Amino acid sequence: MVEASTIEQRTDDHALEAVPDSQRQNWLQITWSTAGIVTTLIQLFIGALVTFVAGIKIGLMAGILVTICGALIGWGAGHIAYRTGLSSSFMSRAHGFGVRGSVILALVFGFMIIGFLAVENALLYKGFLFYLNLPDTMGSRIIIYGILTIAWILLTAYGFNMVTKVSSIALIGFLLVLLYMVIDVIATSGQSWGSVLQFGAQLPPEALKAMGADTDAGKFAFAVNVLIGSAGALALVDADLGRYARTSRDIGIAALLGNVAMDIVMLVVGGIVMYAGMGQIVDYHVTVGGMTHEAAQAMALQSPDSIAAAFIIFGGIIGTILMIFAQSKAQVLNTYSASLSLTSLFDALFSWRPGRLLFVIVANIIGCIMLVGSILEWFNSFLTVLGVLTTCFAGIMISDFFIVKRILRSRGEVETSVPEINWAGIITLVVAFVLAHYVLNKYISIEFFTSLPICIILYPILRLPALKKGAVTRQAA
């Protein structure tokens, strides 16, 4: 019984309760996870996409802006988690949405994180096919996806602490391989560092116009809107990890370094490797894969699979192994955050608490389902929308904690209970999203510039009057 209880406690990982002080960690320990979850193939591809549309200079400017904003939002959400000891989905009950209202955050964030889980699985699958020269058959999919899914379930359920301990080694190794790849690609491309670090938009003018990126302002807006999707998700991951922080400073530093890794390091490396290495990648597909030059160029430019191919071509066997380890680390963290959201979701809806292990399995099953048909393509098309929503969630929770609760304390008041549905939070979310994405997007093309301020300002305006109607009580002197 003692052994069974220990296993249950380890797998549940305080999913529905505050993390005890004895398990708190410093900023370096948390950073291995905040940076580890974003040092992935998909973030390298996003970096290549942004720089190929905007050029590396404009792309980097957008990355710096998103790094600053993402770090501040991540610190805000992470600070609340540090103070409460709760995950993002669970703490949103008392800070912005109510018990049943938190279902919206759990659904959106869970869908987004499971989507990333599925995308990374697909990239790993393509990488295995490329490295082993296997055909894309149903048998290959069942075997490879099956092995990956079982691995993520077992590592998240029983080896999460082990993964977080070795994540530092995996992250350092991955970054060293990236550095080697950048140096090797530029050296063998025949281009100078100066020319590589100044390349402009690489897509045809008609494609840029279709994206609304035919001007410098349009390119900057496109880059920010793409990057903020991952930054919004990372802010909520910061909360999931920030509940382990010893101090607010610890999660603040971890949030900053995670955003630097995602929006600066991965953006620059992804852009440079794909730009300087494009000729070699195309030649490899032509000589080894038997493709025509046009087909090889289209695949290298348009498909995220090209990032996995670049790792194998330029990194060799060591690069391939470290790519797998780095992806494994990120997939375990994705599964972890997804299972927390699903745990909170079913608890809020049905008061059902079967244990987090079940939701680790469910998250991976849903990830496998998303690989069927066009669901993954649909997910990718909604990244900007999901980015606006996740920044709205963080903005509302920050507004509740730092503005509403502070005003109540200044009055000597405290909320008497957590509402089932906090309508102020729900209404604020809807208004901010609709105005940012459908109404004002023609005038303010960077959508979270609209949604985030609306959330921070509108929520207290709606919430404070509601609290005057008997939802607060005077604190004892």
Side-chain angles (χ1 to χ4, degrees), residues 249-263:
R249 175 177 173 273
D250 287 322
I251 186 56
I253 295 174
L256 172 62
L257 294 178
N259 278 275
V260 168
M262 179 173 68
D263 296 314

Side-chain angles (χ1 to χ4, degrees), residues 426-445:
I426 303 299
I427 293 171
T428 299
L429 175 68
V430 173
V431 170
F433 174 72
V434 170
L435 288 178
H437 193 64
Y438 293 107
V439 179
L440 300 178
N441 60 320
K442 297 177 182 178
Y443 311 101
I444 306 176
S445 53

Side-chain angles (χ1 to χ4, degrees), residues 149-226:
T149 299
I150 293 171
W152 310 151
I153 290 172
L154 293 177
L155 285 173
T156 309
Y158 301 108
F160 182 75
N161 289 333
M162 178 192 70
V163 171
T164 55
K165 287 178 181 178
V166 301
S167 62
S168 57
I169 301 172
L171 177 58
I172 292 171
F174 187 74
L175 292 176
L176 287 175
V177 169
L178 290 181
L179 178 62
Y180 165 78
M181 284 176 59
V182 168
I183 295 172
D184 181 60
V185 168
I186 294 177
T188 56
S189 69
Q191 302 181 66
S192 67
W193 280 84
S195 63
V196 170
L197 293 174
Q198 297 181 47
F199 73 84
Q202 298 298 299
L203 299 186
E206 57 272 15
L208 294 175
K209 187 173 182 179
M211 297 176 177
D214 49 341
T215 65
D216 286 349
K219 291 172 183 175
F220 184 77
F222 172 88
V224 172
N225 282 332
V226 169

